[in-house]
Amino acid sequence: MYPVLLLVFCLSCWLLLSRRKQNASKGKLPPGPTPLPIIGNILQVDVKNISQSLSNLSKVYGPVFTVYFGMKPAVVLYGYEAVKEALVDLGEEFAGRSDVPVFKKLYEGHVGVLFSVGKTWKELRRFSVLTLRILGMGKRSIENRVQEEAHCLVEELRKTNATPCDPTFILGCAPCNVICSIIFQNRFDYTDQDFLKLMEILNENVEIFSSPWIQLCNSFPILLDYYPGTYSKLYQNFSYFKSYFMEKVAEHKASLDIDNPRDFIDCFLIKMEQEKQSQEQIFTLGNLVITMVDLFGAGTESTSTTLRYALLLLLKHPDVTAKAREEIERVIGRHRSPCMQDRSNMPYMDALVHEVQRFIDIVPNGVPHAVTRDVKFRNYFIPNGTTILTSLTSVLHDDKEFPNPKVFDPGHFLDKNGKFKKSDHFMAFSAGKRACAGESLARTELFLFLTTILQNFTLKSEVDPEDIDTTPTSNGLTSVPPNYKLCFIPL
C-alpha cells in the first residue's frame, strides 16, 4: 500500500512541476498561493464558502490570480473590470466551459446547453435561444402564461389558510410549470404525484450540488469512484430525471406533426430529422434529454430560490415591503393582474427585484468558464482550456457601485429622484456569450410572481424581523437560503 501511495505522490509532483515549467516556457499564469502536490491550494479554500475564500485571496494577489483545485489550475477574475474585460471585451476567448467532474460523470458523454463547448455549444445554444423565442420567450404569449401561473400560485397560497408554512415547494411549482409548458406543453396540478416527485428531487439536488462534499469531488474526481458519498443519491436522482424526460420524448415522437410543432421537444425532434445525415451528431436523443435537464433545472431552481430568498428578505425588512405594497396599490390596485408594462411605472418594485438578485448573489462564482485558445490577459499567459472562475460576488457587492453592499436596500437601484437606475455591475445572469439564455423569462417571472404575491397577501413571520437570519445555509454552486416558515394572510 505505502509504495503505491509513494508512487502516486511522486507522479503528482512530477506532473505539477511539468505543468508549471510548461507554463513558464510560454509565459506565466497570474500569481497565486503556492500549491501543494496533489491537493493544490485546497487548504486555503473553504469548500463551504469558496466565494469568501476567493475574496480573501484577492486582497493578497489582486484582481487576477491562480488557484489550484487539486492539480488543476483555475484563473480567478475578481472585480467588475476584470470580469467585464474577459466576458465582454474578450467574449469569444473566454466562452469555453471548464469540465465539472460531477456533471461530466452525470451526463455520461452527452451534452446540453450548459456544459457543451465549441461548435456543439454554438449550435445547441443558437437553436435553444431561437426555439425559446418562437415559443414565446420575451413576447406577450409567455407573459400571459406567467400571469396564468401567478393566478394559480395565489390560489394555492390561499389554501394555506394563513397558517405557518414552508414556501419552498409552492414557490418552486410556479416557475417549474412555466418551463414545463415550454419544454413539453404541460403544466401540472400542484398535487400531481409526478410533479411532487420532480420538485422533491430538484430541491434535493440543489442542496447536494452546493454541499462541501461535491465541491471536494470536483477538485478530486477520484472520490466519485471510490468514496462517492452523496453523489450516489445525486446519480439516482439524475437517472430519474433522464428516464422521465425520455418517456416524454417517446410520447412526442409517436404524435409528432412536423408542420405544427407544439413545444421544445417537437422542435428538437424536427431538427434531428433535418440533421440526421450530418456527421457531427449534435442533435441526438441523448443531447435532447440533457438539454431538457439543463432547461428544466435552470428554469426552475434559480427563479424559485430567488423567490424564496425574496420573501425572507421582505419578512426581515417590513419597511421595504410596505413601500412596495404602496406602489402596487397606487399603480395596479387589487382588481387586475400585474403586467410587464407596469414595471416602467413601478421603479421601487423594479429596484426591489434587482436588489434581491444583487444581495443574494445566487451563483457566487458563476458556472466555470474556460479559455478557447491561448490568451494573453493583462500580461499573463493563460493556456488554452484553462479554467476561469468569475467572481460575480465581487461585481454584485462592489462597494464603489453599491454603497454598503452587505445591506439589503432597493435604493441601490434608485436615483435621487426615485427613478429606477440601471447598473452595468448587475451581473446576476452573468455576462457575455455565456450569459443565462433564459434571462428574459426569469425577469418576467420574478417581477410578476413577486408583485402578484404582495398584491394579494400580507406576509407574517413566525419570529421577530430582527431575529431573522438571511445567511445562506450553503454557498457552493449556488447560495441556498435557510429554511423558514411564514403566513400568507389574504388582503
Side-chain angles (χ1 to χ4, degrees), residues 103 107 111-116 124 179 183 238 245 287-301:
F103 281 101
Y107 286 5
V111 293
V113 292
L114 193 59
F115 289 102
S116 53
L124 285 175
I179 197 65
I183 298 174
F238 204 79
F245 289 143
N287 288 352
L288 167 57
V289 171
I290 297 301
T291 300
M292 290 170 66
V293 171
D294 285 351
L295 293 175
F296 175 81
T300 300
E301 186 277 324

Side-chain angles (χ1 to χ4, degrees), residues 187-454:
R187 80 165 297 279
F188 297 90
D189 184 86
Y190 286 21
T191 60
D192 184 282
Q193 290 303 306
D194 284 339
F195 197 41
L196 293 171
K197 180 70 172 178
L198 287 171
M199 292 305 302
E200 176 189 351
I201 288 177
L202 183 61
N203 289 330
E204 187 173 43
N205 282 0
V206 171
E207 295 281 352
I208 296 174
F209 275 129
S210 296
S211 67
W213 181 250
I214 293 300
Q215 310 315 310
L216 277 175
C217 287
N218 280 325
S219 296
F220 306 101
I222 193 172
L223 295 174
L224 295 171
D225 295 319
Y226 295 98
Y227 304 98
T230 53
Y231 172 79
S232 297
K233 183 61 177 175
L234 196 62
Y235 181 81
Q236 178 183 336
N237 290 346
F238 204 79
S239 296
Y240 180 88
F241 276 139
K242 290 195 291 186
S243 176
Y244 182 84
F245 289 143
M246 188 59 82
E247 288 180 12
K248 290 291 183 183
V249 171
E251 292 172 5
H252 277 64
K253 288 180 73 174
S255 59
L256 179 65
D257 179 354
I258 61 173
D259 295 320
N260 295 288
R262 298 159 292 187
D263 47 35
F264 187 88
I265 295 179
D266 276 0
C267 292
F268 201 104
L269 290 174
I270 293 170
K271 185 70 172 178
M272 280 177 55
E273 181 64 23
Q274 293 171 349
E275 300 288 322
K276 65 181 181 181
Q277 302 301 327
S278 172
Q279 296 181 349
E280 292 167 328
Q281 294 296 296
I282 294 174
F283 294 90
T284 65
L285 279 179
N287 288 352
L288 167 57
V289 171
I290 297 301
T291 300
M292 290 170 66
V293 171
D294 285 351
L295 293 175
F296 175 81
T300 300
E301 186 277 324
S302 58
T303 302
S304 63
T305 300
T306 301
L307 288 171
R308 184 157 47 115
Y309 232 135
L311 295 189
L312 182 63
L313 289 167
L314 289 171
L315 291 173
K316 176 76 173 175
H317 302 275
D319 56 324
V320 172
T321 308
K323 289 180 182 178
R325 181 168 287 116
E326 184 280 325
E327 187 177 66
I328 293 169
E329 288 273 359
R330 175 166 44 82
V331 177
I332 304 173
R334 297 188 187 178
H335 304 295
R336 72 168 176 86
S337 297
C339 64
M340 291 307 290
Q341 273 191 325
D342 292 322
R343 188 171 62 172
S344 61
N345 297 316
M346 301 175 68
Y348 193 82
M349 194 65 202
D350 198 4
L352 167 60
V353 174
H354 280 74
E355 177 63 2
V356 167
Q357 293 182 272
R358 184 204 68 81
F359 182 82
I360 69 174
D361 182 25
I362 193 168
V363 188
N365 304 305
V367 181
H369 286 242
V371 289
T372 58
R373 59 178 70 97
D374 291 349
V375 175
K376 186 176 182 181
F377 187 79
R378 296 193 175 187
N379 294 320
Y380 298 113
F381 174 78
I382 305 178
N384 180 23
T386 300
T387 297
I388 304 295
L389 292 183
T390 54
S391 173
L392 300 183
T393 303
S394 66
V395 181
L396 295 169
H397 290 186
D398 186 332
D399 58 5
K400 293 180 181 177
E401 179 71 8
F402 306 109
N404 300 316
K406 296 188 181 299
V407 174
F408 176 72
D409 178 13
H412 284 134
F413 292 93
L414 295 170
D415 64 20
K416 61 182 180 180
N417 297 316
K419 302 296 184 183
F420 180 76
K421 178 179 63 176
K422 290 185 177 181
S423 172
D424 291 338
H425 286 61
F426 184 74
M427 292 188 181
F429 298 98
S430 191
K433 294 182 178 294
R434 283 279 187 173
C436 175
E439 178 176 344
S440 66
L441 175 60
R443 286 178 178 272
T444 300
E445 289 178 321
L446 290 173
F447 181 80
L448 293 182
F449 287 149
L450 275 178
T451 302
T452 303
I453 290 172
L454 292 178

